Amino acid sequence: MTKITIYSAVVCPFAHRSRLALLEKGVDFDLVEIDLQNKPAGFTEISPYGKVPAIAHGEHRVWESAIINEYLEEAFPEPSLLPKEPISRAQARIWIDFANTRFVSAYSSLLRSPDSEQQKAAAVELHNHLRFIENEALAKLSGDGDYWFGNSISLVDLTYYPWFERWAALEEYRGFQIPDELTRLQRWRQAVSQRESVRAIANSKEFYLQRYARFAKAPASVN
């Protein structure tokens, strides 16, 4: 089978998602690291948006991390990273959409906004999202398992985890911590962090603090 090439950037959480999906599926791939501040000539021929991640699979190109991960699920169906039942698959896609449209937006606003009032508003929004995940996702879908849908890792877990690996940046620059009472979320984060795929490409707290410092020019405690 034709080998996949993934165009990635180590700092990018969206690219992190798709690298994790490839590793969880055991798909052999070549990694091309893109300097997002100095993109190579011709990169838009691979990624028309000029963003990472993007993959090349034979003559085909796919971009946008959520779509890449769905493609990988269909092109390499085993091991499956989506539930089997149609309603559970629908729920998985709902939570992926929640990440893309709400969770990531609040996270980014909190970290990147230079205005303290905007930071406070983003912190409230992110707190609400975390509680929603705790009560409406993990408490209802996980059962006795550690992952979003129980005992098996899914694309939903891989969709969210990159931002939790980077959480030290919110703690350091915005004073924002995951509330202790969100025990299911804490358990989920710990379980995913110990996955072989996650550990294989994990970066240190110091790595993220250094890389994200430029996004946090106006530190403020928002808890």
Side-chain angles (χ1 to χ4, degrees):
M1 183 175 290
T2 306
K3 195 172 186 180
I4 281 182
T5 299
I6 182 168
Y7 298 81
S8 177
V10 67
V11 74
C12 175
F14 295 97
H16 194 169
R17 289 172 165 178
S18 294
R19 290 178 66 195
L20 288 174
L22 285 163
L23 290 168
E24 284 288 341
K25 284 190 167 291
V27 175
D28 192 23
F29 64 91
D30 290 324
L31 175 66
V32 177
E33 184 74 9
I34 299 297
D35 180 352
L36 296 176
Q37 306 305 313
N38 186 27
K39 298 170 189 174
F43 179 55
T44 54
E45 295 178 9
I46 299 295
S47 177
Y49 296 170
K51 301 191 300 182
V52 295
I55 64 169
H57 191 197
E59 298 178 354
H60 305 296
R61 302 167 300 156
V62 186
W63 55 96
E64 293 293 305
S65 62
I67 297 171
I68 289 171
N69 286 3
E70 288 261 5
Y71 173 80
L72 295 174
E73 177 68 9
E74 294 179 3
F76 305 93
E78 297 297 333
S80 178
L81 293 178
L82 283 175
K84 297 297 185 185
E85 300 79 9
I87 185 58
S88 295
R89 284 185 173 239
Q91 290 167 334
R93 292 183 173 103
I94 287 169
W95 284 108
I96 290 170
D97 180 74
F98 183 81
N100 293 340
T101 60
R102 301 191 182 206
F103 174 81
V104 170
S105 176
Y107 184 107
S108 297
S109 293
L110 176 55
L111 182 63
R112 292 170 178 261
S113 176
D115 180 81
S116 61
E117 291 303 313
Q118 291 179 357
Q119 290 174 23
K120 290 178 182 178
V124 170
E125 184 179 6
L126 188 56
H127 266 302
N128 290 339
H129 292 340
L130 293 177
R131 293 190 180 96
F132 189 64
I133 289 169
E134 173 87 3
N135 297 323
E136 294 297 322
L138 300 176
K140 294 183 178 180
L141 301 176
S142 298
D144 294 329
D146 291 330
Y147 304 116
W148 218 274
F149 287 93
N151 294 317
S152 298
I153 196 82
S154 75
L155 290 182
V156 183
D157 303 290
L158 306 185
T159 291
Y160 283 86
Y161 181 76
W163 280 266
F164 286 88
E165 185 170 295
R166 292 156 174 77
W167 210 270
L170 289 185
E171 294 176 341
E172 178 75 14
Y173 300 121
R174 297 294 181 252
F176 188 97
Q177 298 184 0
I178 299 171
D180 291 339
E181 65 268 22
L182 302 185
T183 56
R184 294 298 297 259
L185 185 61
Q186 300 278 10
R187 173 181 165 187
W188 167 85
R189 182 188 185 187
Q190 176 63 21
V192 179
S193 73
Q194 297 305 306
R195 298 284 299 184
E196 183 178 346
S197 64
V198 172
R199 293 169 66 89
I201 59 173
N203 291 296
S204 68
K205 169 184 175 180
E206 290 71 24
F207 174 90
Y208 291 118
L209 293 182
Q210 181 182 18
R211 299 305 190 282
Y212 283 91
R214 64 190 181 92
F215 297 127
K217 295 180 180 179
S221 179
V222 294
N223 271 350

